[in-house]
Amino acid sequence: MAPVALETQKPEVVLNPGQYKEQSAGPKTYVKKIEEEGTEDLPAAAYQNYLPTWNPNQKYPPLKRFAHEEHGLDADKAFPELLNSAVEKEDLTPTIGSIIHGVQLSSLSSAGKDQLALLTAQRKVLVFRDQNFADLPIHKALEFGAYFGRHHIHPASGSPEGYPEIHLVHRGAGDKSSQQLLEQRTSTVAWHSDVTYEEQPPGTTFLYIFDKPTTGGDTIFVDQVTAYRRLSPGFQERLHGLKAVHSGIEQAEASRARGSIVRREPVTSEHPIVRTHPATGEKALFVNPQFTRYIVGYKKEESDMLLKFLYDHIAFGADFQARVKWQAKTVIVWDNRVTCHSAILDWVNGQRRHLARITPQAEQLNTGELDMNEINAVKALRVDFEVSIRSNKKENRGCAKRG
């Protein structure tokens, strides 16, 4: 039966920027001539088919629910296409991040993509070097990403002409506007999971590079599974069942304020503070300072206190974070359900930083669902019960014969 099409609108919230930081440059700082031709000191964009456009005529209705297929559940856990003898894998940390050489993502079979979904969920972040992804026709890159879920069209970012499904991360040559953020903030770091205000936030996510600063512009990630595990059992129990409101309103208003677009009116969604990954069964924190606004049912001071603790726990957890340095032809794959990340806007020489993100959406969060351990426990009880029934039947037949 086809999934029921329902709007993803959720409770209204009052605009409350909280810890939201606007990292995007937007059309006000975009100089088309420099991007296409370069300057005496700075080259033209390497991949001009991926230069950003902001089309105010692109308007989309509210998103509808869809049935997500979790491909990690179908994966061969031996990972024959990803971790065979010809592949080199270097773990960045014990729990998060692996650099992989010897795999061409665009050549993976469907089985290989299933393995990619599972390995990404397990390692949280995978860094693939020497990829041809940026050289593919854009529609081919989108075909690859569509295997993992419905493409998310970002409500406010720039995109290549004709391809709104591509989210561009672009800071053009000569653009030093990131320094304006530091006039009001002490750091450019903005921890977040992508677009968590949607009812079905992204899962397996892809980011690939075109141009980068000589030094700087790294991306940092945090393992939200380990962040959850570090909490005491009593604190974990306190978080179970709590929901928080995630808001896209502030992002939309910031886009309007810098003269950019809003393709789809902003929404809010309620999500559990602790979620369970459908392929691994691991529990993870699911809050972030960019989009999480308040805890449902808590008074403001109570909500602010608890969220601040969780944000600080995430930010200070250097022992469950990974920092990825970009190289030419790199693709980073991460699972948005069990990580947070941030760009680092630390270079000041005006060199271009230009990337593209493909953002397949994943399952709807449901606090009423049993997690994998609970499902396995129920299955075990069912088996025990069936064995007990069969045993009782045999005993009853034996008694009847003796009688």
Side-chain angles (χ1 to χ4, degrees), residues 10 36 50 136 172 184 261 284 298-299 327 334 360 364 403:
K10 285 289 183 179
E36 293 179 347
Y50 272 98
L136 296 174
Q184 298 179 335
I261 60 173
Y298 274 31
K299 294 182 178 180
Q327 296 178 8
W334 72 90
Q364 178 191 3

Side-chain angles (χ1 to χ4, degrees), residues 60-296:
Y60 296 94
L63 295 177
K64 308 291 185 180
R65 289 182 188 172
F66 73 100
H68 172 69
E69 181 179 357
E70 178 51 50
H71 290 287
L73 292 170
D74 302 321
D76 183 340
K77 293 181 174 59
F79 303 107
E81 288 194 41
L82 291 181
L83 299 180
N84 56 56
S85 59
V87 174
E88 296 180 11
K89 173 175 166 286
E90 175 191 355
D91 291 342
L92 292 172
T93 79
T95 70
I96 178 172
S98 297
I99 299 176
I100 296 180
H101 293 272
V103 173
Q104 192 61 251
L105 289 174
S106 62
S107 299
L108 290 176
S109 66
S110 293
K113 293 173 186 175
D114 294 343
Q115 295 164 36
L116 178 62
L118 180 59
L119 187 61
T120 304
Q122 291 178 350
R123 290 297 303 163
K124 316 305 183 283
V125 178
L126 300 176
V127 183
F128 291 89
R129 305 296 193 191
D130 304 315
Q131 298 297 300
N132 65 3
F133 218 74
D135 298 310
L136 296 174
I138 295 178
H139 74 274
K140 287 294 185 182
L142 287 171
E143 284 179 12
F144 179 92
Y147 184 83
F148 300 89
R150 181 179 70 185
H151 285 302
H152 180 260
I153 295 178
H154 197 280
S157 69
S159 63
E161 182 68 39
Y163 296 99
E165 303 89 349
I166 297 287
H167 166 81
L168 290 177
V169 180
H170 178 271
R171 194 166 293 277
D175 181 356
K176 299 182 180 180
S177 62
S178 63
Q179 297 307 297
Q180 296 175 4
L181 182 59
L182 293 176
E183 293 175 3
Q184 298 179 335
R185 304 278 190 157
T186 58
S187 171
T188 63
V189 173
W191 287 110
H192 64 286
S193 300
D194 290 325
V195 299
T196 57
Y197 48 77
E198 302 291 11
E199 186 178 27
Q200 294 180 253
T204 309
T205 305
F206 303 84
L207 187 65
Y208 47 109
I209 189 84
F210 308 119
D211 289 302
K212 68 179 190 65
T214 303
T215 304
D218 301 346
T219 303
I220 50 176
F221 294 86
V222 62
D223 176 359
Q224 293 277 63
V225 171
T226 300
Y228 168 79
R229 289 175 176 169
R230 292 287 177 85
L231 301 173
S232 66
F235 202 94
Q236 292 175 351
E237 185 177 357
R238 172 63 275 178
L239 297 180
H240 292 170
L242 292 181
K243 294 185 291 184
V245 169
H246 297 238
S247 170
I249 296 173
E250 297 76 17
Q251 185 181 74
E253 292 305 312
S255 182
R256 289 187 173 109
R258 67 177 189 271
S260 193
I261 60 173
V262 176
R263 296 186 181 95
R264 189 173 55 251
E265 287 304 306
V267 298
T268 65
S269 294
E270 290 182 6
H271 295 312
I273 288 179
V274 177
R275 70 179 298 173
T276 302
H277 195 285
T280 66
E282 293 180 320
K283 293 186 182 298
L285 294 180
F286 196 66
V287 294
N288 68 89
Q290 283 289 83
F291 301 122
T292 308
R293 292 294 163 259
Y294 61 85
I295 298 173
V296 177

Side-chain angles (χ1 to χ4, degrees), residues 324-396:
V324 179
K325 290 188 175 298
W326 288 97
Q327 296 178 8
K329 297 187 178 299
T330 292
V331 178
I332 299 180
V333 189
W334 72 90
D335 197 312
N336 196 66
R337 295 166 288 193
V338 291
T339 57
C340 280
H341 64 276
S342 177
I344 300 179
L345 309 182
D346 57 348
W347 75 104
V348 296
N349 56 10
Q351 291 181 316
R352 181 184 297 104
R353 186 177 186 267
H354 185 196
L355 310 93
R357 191 181 79 206
I358 294 177
T359 319
Q361 291 178 258
E363 73 278 3
Q364 178 191 3
L365 282 72
N366 186 344
T367 55
E369 291 182 355
L370 295 176
D371 67 27
M372 182 171 291
N373 292 330
E374 291 166 334
I375 290 172
N376 289 336
V378 170
K379 288 180 178 178
L381 287 173
R382 184 182 301 160
V383 170
D384 290 343
F385 178 74
E386 291 174 351
V387 169
S388 176
I389 290 295
R390 287 195 295 269
S391 177
N392 288 337
K393 285 182 178 179
K394 289 181 179 179
E395 290 182 6
N396 290 336

